[in-house]
Amino acid sequence: MMKVGLNKGYDYIELWKESMIDHNGNIPKRLVDDVAEEAFWSSMLERKTRYISDPYAQDVQRELLPLLNSDDHVLEIGPGWGNYTFSIADKVQKLTCIDSSKSIVQFLESQAVVKGLDNIELIYDKWESEKASKKYDVVFGFNCYYRMYDIGKALLKMNESANRLVIAGMTTGPEKPHYMELHQMGYNINLRRRDYIHILNVLHQLGILANCKMVKLQSRKSYSSYEELIRDNTTKILDQHYNVKEMETVINKYVSEKEGTYEYVYPFHAALIYWNPVNCKINK
């Protein structure tokens, strides 16, 4: 395989690390505290008694599954509650999943039994710290990078663990349109700090020229009350004081109401970044 080196110039790996710091100058607790991360997933799964994928996942699956072969052994990193896990297992020979949440591993184990799937292996561990050098046909991870501080090493490990293909996926913007409009009006908005383009740039820095497929998605969120609508759509406003009437006027531009139910529909995307593994070498 072709041997490549680290490209000189801007350090996108360091930029990724800097972007983990929030607007208060801190790294959010969930990103560094395993107990807090486990508590988050445990609370999320208390409300999820059975597997139901996020609404957008099927659109991503339509682009993802054709990249896989029926005789593949796939590694999925950070599967969460299984947006892609079971559709992958239905197609490939074997699927190994690794997740740092014990609650997630237990949930997926139970749902695999319900679905009668016996080709899924579940590992309770962090991908970043897992030491095994086992190779897989395909290594895949979607929205699993938020806690990976050294993104360069994590992506290199994905590259080194794959025989045939690496797939790194992430949902991306645009942000909800009312937030962008408020931002343009001078509001201080907690906008997304890390995005798929950071991963593409890190891969380029590592000498990996990856493909990128953008998948058009749509979010449709319904609210049973106006108060719930406003509460859910002001969480990213960082200003302590602002014109509430002005803010509500902007939000209402993007919302429809019918018989007391409020619906907010807006577009967003998923990025599927994929490449054939190469022999990478970081020059010190």
Side-chain angles (χ1 to χ4, degrees):
M1 289 184 289
M2 179 177 65
K3 182 170 287 189
V4 290
L6 179 65
N7 293 328
K8 303 297 183 182
Y10 200 89
D11 193 336
Y12 292 101
I13 297 172
E14 290 303 314
L15 178 62
W16 175 273
K17 295 176 182 178
E18 293 168 10
S19 298
M20 293 181 75
I21 300 172
D22 64 17
H23 58 279
N24 292 317
N26 303 311
I27 295 180
K29 191 174 183 180
R30 267 188 63 203
L31 303 191
V32 294
D33 187 329
D34 293 343
V35 175
E37 176 73 354
E38 178 61 35
F40 169 81
W41 284 110
S42 179
S43 66
M44 292 290 286
L45 290 171
E46 285 177 0
R47 306 190 295 269
K48 203 175 184 77
T49 56
R50 62 187 180 89
Y51 165 73
I52 302 175
S53 66
D54 291 325
Y56 67 83
Q58 289 187 358
D59 292 322
V60 178
Q61 289 171 17
R62 279 193 284 271
E63 301 295 336
L64 169 66
L65 295 179
L67 298 173
L68 308 178
N69 298 331
S70 60
D71 59 350
D72 277 337
H73 182 183
V74 176
L75 172 69
E76 183 180 13
I77 303 164
W81 50 55
N83 271 338
Y84 310 100
T85 304
F86 302 112
S87 61
I88 292 174
D90 280 335
K91 176 164 185 179
V92 304
Q93 185 174 27
K94 183 175 180 180
L95 173 64
T96 297
C97 300
I98 182 168
D99 201 287
S100 62
S101 166
K102 190 173 185 178
S103 299
I104 285 291
V105 170
Q106 291 173 340
F107 175 76
L108 293 178
E109 283 177 341
S110 68
Q111 296 306 297
V113 171
V114 170
K115 292 178 174 294
L117 292 168
D118 59 3
N119 64 334
I120 300 178
E121 175 190 19
L122 291 155
I123 300 172
Y124 170 43
D125 203 350
K126 284 185 181 179
W127 166 248
E128 306 95 296
S129 61
E130 204 268 336
K131 303 298 183 184
S133 58
K134 186 172 181 178
K135 300 277 271 189
Y136 304 86
D137 297 303
V138 179
V139 175
F140 165 68
F142 194 96
N143 280 351
C144 61
Y145 309 99
Y146 58 97
R147 301 188 79 219
M148 296 182 184
Y149 184 72
D150 195 330
I151 191 64
K153 286 185 178 179
L155 291 171
L156 281 176
K157 188 174 178 182
M158 291 177 73
N159 179 80
E160 292 162 0
S161 299
N163 284 322
R164 186 175 69 79
L165 191 66
V166 187
I167 310 170
M170 181 183 287
T171 49
T172 181
E175 297 270 4
K176 288 183 176 180
H178 78 276
Y179 281 131
M180 296 310 299
E181 185 169 339
L182 290 171
H183 180 63
Q184 291 168 2
M185 293 167 61
Y187 282 63
N188 189 17
I189 305 297
N190 186 21
L191 299 174
R192 180 193 300 263
R193 295 176 63 83
R194 289 178 293 166
D195 213 332
Y196 80 96
I197 197 66
H198 290 82
I199 289 181
L200 267 179
N201 283 328
V202 169
L203 288 170
H204 186 268
Q205 181 173 331
L206 296 172
I208 298 172
L209 301 181
N211 303 286
C212 184
K213 171 72 175 180
M214 301 303 297
V215 185
K216 292 182 179 180
L217 305 172
Q218 185 181 74
S219 176
R220 184 180 299 272
K221 185 71 179 290
S222 295
Y223 303 92
S224 59
S225 70
Y226 186 73
E227 291 74 21
E228 183 188 10
L229 165 72
I230 297 302
R231 184 169 58 249
D232 189 53
N233 288 285
T234 53
T235 57
K236 289 194 172 189
I237 299 176
L238 298 176
D239 304 289
Q240 292 187 349
H241 305 286
Y242 53 85
N243 186 322
V244 174
K245 185 176 180 180
E246 179 182 65
M247 172 272 295
E248 290 185 358
T249 298
V250 173
I251 291 178
N252 289 335
K253 290 181 184 180
Y254 304 99
V255 176
S256 62
E257 185 270 334
K258 185 178 181 181
E259 298 178 352
T261 297
Y262 299 84
E263 188 173 68
Y264 192 157
V265 180
Y266 66 96
F268 69 115
H269 296 78
L272 284 178
I273 302 166
Y274 58 99
W275 70 94
N276 301 117
V278 297
N279 189 7
C280 294
K281 178 182 178 182
I282 297 182
N283 298 321
K284 299 294 185 180

